[in-house]
């Protein structure tokens, strides 16, 4: 599988580390246990379109959000997750 | 006796060679005397960073590329992040960048650099990394970060036949091992250690 | 003697280069360019192997990668390789080859007789039915015998010392297959300016052009192919890869291929690889993979001498070998007429053409008749007979359904029977990267399904038969591929073709011909010895799905993966089910298309090159001192520095003792170091550590623990404040990369508003810890610009100084519990600083110590490390609950107090003192003292050591409920030893619990 890093271009999946479901937002650190339990453990795990985070550890070290179909591996989009703009 | 400061510990000492002898060998030279700093601008402060570094003669590149001014290379390695290589010191860079604009980390000892040149450099690099290495796909003046044999590497293309490669210091000897082994079918010779130099002065 | 070499011809052989090789211990001859198959065939060999299960005598069926029978073991000792198809192995001077699965010889195989008698008990799935008793243990007895009797080749046990390499290639258009469609495609793409890669599994490009009688652009087909190759070779944008099999098609239009670089050479260059693996990243792919001819299924069809008609022609045209002195040709398409004429022209006595069609086409029939060859229309070969090879064929008339009719019959003696059961497009790559194949009734074949990757099938792979059409197909596919990538030359390469073979061929599907009872076996899968009756048996026993048929009968599961058997089997299955073939479907196509050497997949990642090694700047010094070096992840670290006669244990005890009595120094360069900089760095550290760092003073270090977000302890280390906005975080060696990744993720995803920059500084710094009562005086000898006393450098202080002219950072930290200083400097200065301090300490008895003594010292103090931070422990478990700040939120806070993490019987960290003189081991279990036979584990030993300070064995451990000091327990280790070792629970802070020595 090749992942289109917005900074480096398409690269082998072996350069990336998977960081899980991108739709999960962590609550505030002092939020209650229930809110954190949901964020840490509960996942929809869909078969089909999935929005997920990958960390380009073997390249630019950016975190990117990838739209991937978990059934076919087809990747339809990738965007930088960063306070910086991709062009900065 | 190997220079104790040499991260390659003599593995790439001048005058070594190996591999096939019936063609143009790849020349390998350690790059010595290089200081390095990683500079990170805070979001939206790129212009301010450029402004801070301009008095030092440094310009910030766009894209995954590097600029060369006053003997220093400034490479953009990620949005807002730059790696500056200097033939002398990077102390002035840390003082030039205010804390409100960005942060400067001295990584002068953290990288070991090697220059490879010759007609077969693209074929050599293709063994290690799944990137296009042809001049159209990887033009001179641009850079890439990837892994070669499980070691992170920063690759700068200095010219059509010359690449500078930087790995973590602790990997230097393993990287030299990989390099000379991968060069067997082309033949290789080590050249005198080289200093950081502007591309125009880099021998082909 | 049957096969023979023709006096002239042979497109691939070089008669000026004869060579000799060995087969089954005998000397043989051939020419450069021969395959093992063609050379042996030319010498009259008929017997090439013994079948897998029944040990039946087998000869060549084909001429290429579809060959199921002629499997050979090539080479000897370390480069011995079994199961190589004789049809793919190029001969070289001195080659050594052996046939397989026979004893004592190919001709006289002792297994053949008994197995023939046992055959009825060896049908599909026999191991579920026969050999089932008496008792369950019976199978344990039979299995080894059955395994020894069956099989293919035997692998070598010697290490493979060949060199293998891997590389990557990027191209615009990859063309798989160098036959007519592939060459047309490659030329079209190349002329448009695209970067082209053309791969063919054989040594020469041309494919079916070698056999074609057509003229292309006024040239002989073969000459046209040579010109095409010359043009492609001259272009710098084209790479030709002969002897290269593209074996797998993966996501993202990435394909795997293996190039057999030197297998065909007598003398191999040690600087070149034997096999080279190519990972091809293609913009577009043209699959011009051709088609494979199908054999026919009838009684005796596996006898040596029964061959595919196209293979017979290949041996004639490419190698100038006639496969027999007499021949009969059988099929239901026009190709058999060309085969018959070719054989006749080569001097073979063609005794008949047997065409199953009742009305064969006039022109070819006429040619045959004028050549004096008997033609039997509407006729089948119902049986082939012979003992160790074909002797004769029996004919019968075909009824309307294509089955033999009773009545008329004729027997013709012949050495060779060339059969053509139709053509199966080679759709493996297409199916790996696309939807299920689609059945075409008029082609009588499965065609490629819907692409899932960017490929187009062209030529015979697409079901096209006519030469002009298939070349146009290839050109068009490549033209579209190139222009979709922006290359536009408007040129499609389609030669002007005059083809005598180009009469439209009505294909009559020829299915399995029913065997009369007792008239021998009809084979479907030759390599796994699966017969037509096995397929029918599977149906009878209720296996309806094609996937079940495959696994129950093992059809299609051999090294040839059913290339010549799949469609025939599906036809049989369909017939049994009363369904049409498309309803039966196909099994899943998976890579590799043909076997791939494991060496090619490993490349150079073997032996010393398996994984890279990380070395500290002091590495060579440790080695020169005779240290035992040990792997710590990718790092090499000194374990102990043994002196004469010392064991590892002796050494670490001496080293640890010396540290506490005088001084020791240990290389800690491998510690993870991360720069944490920026206006919000303090706030950031407050969030990731359980304890506070925001208010840490400049010039101070603090020990910190970080939790995972699920509340369990993740890592620990010290973080130093070098300036207001500048911290240096240290982590454990093992978690350095993980912690940095986690920090980066927090900054990018969770807290993008924080202005913090993090970077790995592990390689920037060399570090050593100098510990022991004499550490201060030793260090002061080499540092002039820093007062190392309690006043000048208090405990936990961080100061800048110089050793000689080299800048250093001195941090007064102690993992050992002794008076200690960590000295960090730029990595390039590491060795010099190390040596300076080592030299300065010799008069004080300073020794270097390694990771074993490092562990001993920290265990004596009850400091946690990796074995305690195993991801299952909480702060409270480790006695550090009080570290957690109540004043600021931190990662893991919300989930760290969940009920199961605070129950009373949780395993808590304790110290254990061993009551006799035996060591305990990491992972050993702890049980109650009173019932050592009890299976209830109360916990486990995490960090054991011999304590020089206490004079006994000790350990840190995790014990349910913790236990009271003084409690007696037993350590048991049922897997590694049967010992029961008595221990006493004590405080984990075994030595100097007040910490007096730290503040010396």
């Amino acid at each position: 599988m090749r992942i289109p890093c917005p900074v480096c271009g398409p690269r082998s999946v072996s350069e990336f580390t998977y960081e899980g479901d991108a739709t999960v937002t962590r609550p505030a650190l002092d939020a209650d246990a229930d809110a954190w339990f949901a964020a840490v453990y509960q996942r929809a795990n869909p078969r089909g379109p999935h929005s997920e985070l990958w960390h380009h550890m073997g390249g630019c070290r950016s975190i990117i959000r990838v739209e991937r179909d978990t059934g076919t591996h087809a990747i339809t989009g990738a965007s930088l997750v960063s306070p910086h703009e991709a062009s900065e | 006796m190997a220079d104790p400061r040499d991260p390659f510990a003599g593995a790439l000492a001048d005058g070594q060679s190996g591999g096939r002898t019936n063609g143009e060998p790849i020349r390998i030279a350690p790059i010595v005397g290089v200081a390095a700093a990683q500079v990170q601008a805070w979001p939206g402060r790129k212009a301010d960073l450029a402004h801070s570094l301009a008095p030092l003669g440094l310009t910030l590149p766009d894209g995954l590329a590097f600029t060369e001014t006053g003997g220093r290379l400034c490479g953009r390695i990620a949005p807002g992040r730059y790696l500056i290589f200097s033939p002398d010191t990077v102390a002035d860079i840390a003082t030039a960048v205010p804390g409100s604009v960005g942060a400067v980390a001295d990584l002068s000892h953290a990288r070991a650099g090697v220059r490879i040149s010759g007609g077969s450099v693209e074929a050599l690099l293709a063994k290690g990394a799944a990137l296009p290495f042809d001049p159209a796909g990887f033009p001179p003046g641009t850079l890439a970060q990837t892994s070669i044999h499980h070691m992170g590497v920063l690759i700068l293309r200095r010219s059509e036949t010359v690449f500078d490669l930087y790995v973590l210091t602790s990997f230097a000897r393993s990287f030299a091992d990989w390099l000379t082994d991968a060069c067997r079918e082309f033949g290789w010779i080590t050249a005198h250690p080289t200093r950081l130099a502007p591309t125009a002065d880099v021998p082909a | 003697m049957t096969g023979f070499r023709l006096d002239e011809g042979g497109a691939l052989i070089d008669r000026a280069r004869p060579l000799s090789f060995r087969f089954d211990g005998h000397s043989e001859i051939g020419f450069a360019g021969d395959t093992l198959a063609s050379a042996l065939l030319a010498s009259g060999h008929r017997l090439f192997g013994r079948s897998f299960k029944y040990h039946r005598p087998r000869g060549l069926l084909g001429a290429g990668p579809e060959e199921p029978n002629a499997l050979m073991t090539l080479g000897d000792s370390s480069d011995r390789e079994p199961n190589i198809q004789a049809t793919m192995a190029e001969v070289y001077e001195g080659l050594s080859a052996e046939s397989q699965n026979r004893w004592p010889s190919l001709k006289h195989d002792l297994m053949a007789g008994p197995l023939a008698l046992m055959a009825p008990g060896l049908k599909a799935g026999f191991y579920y039915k026969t050999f089932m008793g008496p008792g369950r243990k019976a199978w344990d007895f039979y299995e080894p015998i059955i395994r020894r009797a069956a099989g293919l080749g035997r692998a070598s046990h010697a290490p493979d010392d060949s060199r293998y390499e891997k590389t990557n290639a990027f191209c615009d258009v990859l063309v798989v297959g160098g036959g007519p469609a592939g060459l047309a495609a490659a030329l079209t793409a190349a002329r448009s300016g695209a970067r082209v890669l053309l791969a063919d599994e054989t040594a020469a490009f041309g494919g079916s052009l070698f056999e074609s009688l057509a003229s292309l652009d006024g040239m002989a087909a073969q000459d046209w192919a040579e010109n095409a190759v010359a043009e492609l070779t001259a272009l710098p944008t084209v790479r030709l890869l002969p002897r290269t099999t593209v074996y797998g098609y993966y996501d993202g239009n990435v394909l795997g291929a293996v190039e057999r670089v030197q297998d065909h050479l007598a003398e191999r260059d040690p600087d070149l690889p034997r096999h080279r693996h190519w990972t091809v990243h293609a913009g577009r792919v043209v699959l011009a993979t051709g088609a494979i001819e199908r054999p026919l299924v009838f009684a005796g069809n596996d006898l040596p001498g029964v061959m595919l008609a196209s293979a017979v022609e290949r041996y004639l045209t490419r190698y100038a070998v006639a496969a027999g002195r007499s021949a009969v040709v059988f099929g239901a398409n026009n190709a058999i007429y060309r085969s018959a004429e070719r054989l006749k022209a080569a001097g073979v006595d063609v005794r008949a053409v047997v065409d199953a069609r009742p009305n064969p086409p006039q022109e070819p029939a006429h040619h045959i008749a004028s050549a004096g060859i008997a033609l039997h229309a509407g006729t089948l070969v119902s049986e082939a007979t012979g003992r160790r090879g074909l002797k004769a064929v029996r004919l019968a008339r075909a009824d309307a359904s294509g089955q033999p009719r009773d009545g008329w019959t004729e027997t013709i003696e012949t050495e060779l029977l060339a059969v053509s059961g139709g053509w199966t497009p080679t759709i493996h790559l297409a199916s790996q990267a696309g939807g299920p194949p689609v059945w075409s009734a008029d082609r009588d074949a499965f065609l490629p399904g819907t692409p899932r990757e960017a490929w187009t099938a062209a030529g015979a792979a697409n079901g096209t038969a006519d030469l002009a059409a298939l070349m146009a197909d290839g050109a068009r596919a490549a033209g579209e591929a190139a222009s979709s990538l922006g290359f536009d030359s408007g040129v499609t390469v389609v030669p002007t073709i005059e083809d005598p073979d180009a009469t439209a061929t009505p294909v009559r599907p020829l299915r399995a011909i029913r065997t009369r009872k007792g008239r021998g076996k009809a084979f479907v899968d030759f390599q796994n010895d699966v017969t037509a009756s096995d397929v029918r048996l599977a149906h009878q026993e209720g296996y309806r799905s094609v996937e079940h048929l495959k696994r129950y009968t093992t059809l299609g599961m051999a090294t040839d993966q059913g290339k010549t058997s799949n469609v025939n089997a599906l036809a049989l299955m369909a017939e049994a089910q009363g369904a049409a073939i498309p309803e039966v479907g196909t099994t899943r196509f998976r890579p590799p298309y043909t076997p791939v050497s494991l060496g090619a997949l490993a490349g150079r990642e073997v032996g010393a090159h398996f994984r890279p090694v990380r070395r500290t700047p002091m590495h060579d010094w440790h080695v020169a001192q005779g240290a035992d070096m040990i792997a710590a992840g990718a790092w090499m670290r000194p374990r102990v520095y043994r002196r004469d006669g010392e064991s590892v244990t002796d050494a670490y005890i001496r080293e640890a003792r010396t540290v506490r009595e005088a001084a020791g120094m240990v290389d800690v360069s491998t510690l993870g170091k991360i720069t944490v900089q920026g206006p919000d760095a303090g706030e950031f550290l407050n969030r990731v550590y359980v304890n506070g760092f925001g208010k840490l003073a400049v010039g101070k270090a603090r020990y910190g623990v970080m939790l995972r977000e699920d509340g369990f302890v993740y890592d620990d280390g010290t973080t130093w404040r070098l300036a207001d906005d500048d911290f240096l975080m240290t982590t454990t060696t093992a978690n350095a990369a993980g912690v940095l990744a986690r920090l980066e993720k927090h900054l990018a995803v969770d807290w993008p508003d924080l202005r913090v920059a993090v970077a790995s500084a592990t390689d920037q710094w060399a570090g050593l810890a100098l510990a022991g009562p004499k550490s201060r005086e030793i260090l002061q000898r080499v540092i002039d610009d820093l007062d190392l006393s309690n006043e000048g450098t208090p405990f936990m202080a961080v100061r800048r100084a110089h050793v000689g002219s080299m800048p250093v950072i001195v941090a007064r930290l102690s993992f050992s519990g002794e008076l200690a200083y960590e000295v960090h400097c730029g990595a390039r200065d590491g060795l010099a600083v190390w040596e300076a301090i080592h030299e300065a300490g010799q008069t004080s008895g300073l020794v270097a110590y390694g990771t074993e003594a490092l562990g001993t010292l920290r265990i004596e103090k009850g400091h946690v490390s990796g074995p305690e931070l195993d991801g299952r422990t909480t702060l409270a478990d480790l006695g550090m609950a009080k570290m957690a700040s109540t004043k600021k939120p931190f990662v893991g806070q919300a989930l760290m107090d969940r009920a199961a993490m605070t129950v009373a019987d949780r395993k808590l960290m304790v110290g254990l003192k061993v009551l006799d003189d035996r060591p305990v081991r990491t992972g050993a279990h702890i049980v109650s003292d009173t019932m050592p036979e009890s299976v209830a584990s109360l916990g486990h030993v995490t960090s054991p050591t011999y304590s020089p300070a206490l004079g006994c064995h000790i350990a840190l451990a995790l014990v349910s409920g913790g236990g009271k000091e003084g409690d007696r327990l037993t350590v048991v280790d049922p897997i590694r030893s049967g010992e029961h070792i008595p221990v006493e629970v004590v405080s984990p802070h075994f030595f100097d619990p007040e910490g007096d020595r730290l503040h010396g």
Side-chain angles (χ1 to χ4, degrees), chain C residues 275-413:
Chain C
H275 295 167
R276 190 195 308 275
H277 183 282
W278 292 85
T279 302
V280 181
H281 310 259
R284 293 285 185 276
V285 180
V286 175
L287 296 174
T289 43
I292 293 175
E293 194 168 38
R294 290 197 285 273
L296 289 164
V297 182
F298 53 87
N301 68 337
D302 73 322
L303 280 166
V306 180
M307 296 178 66
L308 293 170
S310 61
V312 170
E313 283 198 62
R314 253 167 98 152
Y315 286 114
L316 285 169
T317 59
R318 302 186 199 193
Y319 308 101
V321 178
R325 297 196 185 268
S326 55
V328 168
V329 186
F330 170 36
N333 57 54
N334 289 12
I336 58 178
Y337 292 87
R338 186 180 80 181
S339 305
E341 290 193 57
R342 246 201 174 111
L343 280 164
K344 176 100 185 163
V348 175
D349 177 12
V350 184
R351 303 223 168 124
V353 170
V354 180
D355 192 334
R357 296 172 291 183
N359 301 306
Q362 280 188 3
E363 219 181 295
H366 191 66
H367 278 213
I368 289 296
S370 26
I373 301 173
L375 169 60
H376 296 271
T379 308
L380 307 167
V381 168
S382 63
E383 193 183 341
T385 56
R387 234 171 48 93
R388 264 203 301 260
L390 177 68
K391 270 240 159 54
V393 296
R394 201 184 166 89
L395 309 183
R397 295 285 184 235
D399 65 18
S401 66
Q403 292 302 323
R405 249 190 299 166
D406 286 335
W408 178 90
T409 180
E410 185 174 319
T411 301
I412 305 179
E413 286 195 4

Side-chain angles (χ1 to χ4, degrees), chain B residues 5 109 127 149 170 174 181, chain C residues 163 165 604 763-764 829:
Chain B
R5 298 170 57 84
H109 294 261
K127 294 190 189 189
H149 189 44
S170 60
S174 282
D181 182 80
Chain C
R163 182 182 174 85
E165 290 207 49
R604 291 302 293 150
D763 291 72
Q764 170 70 5
D829 295 334

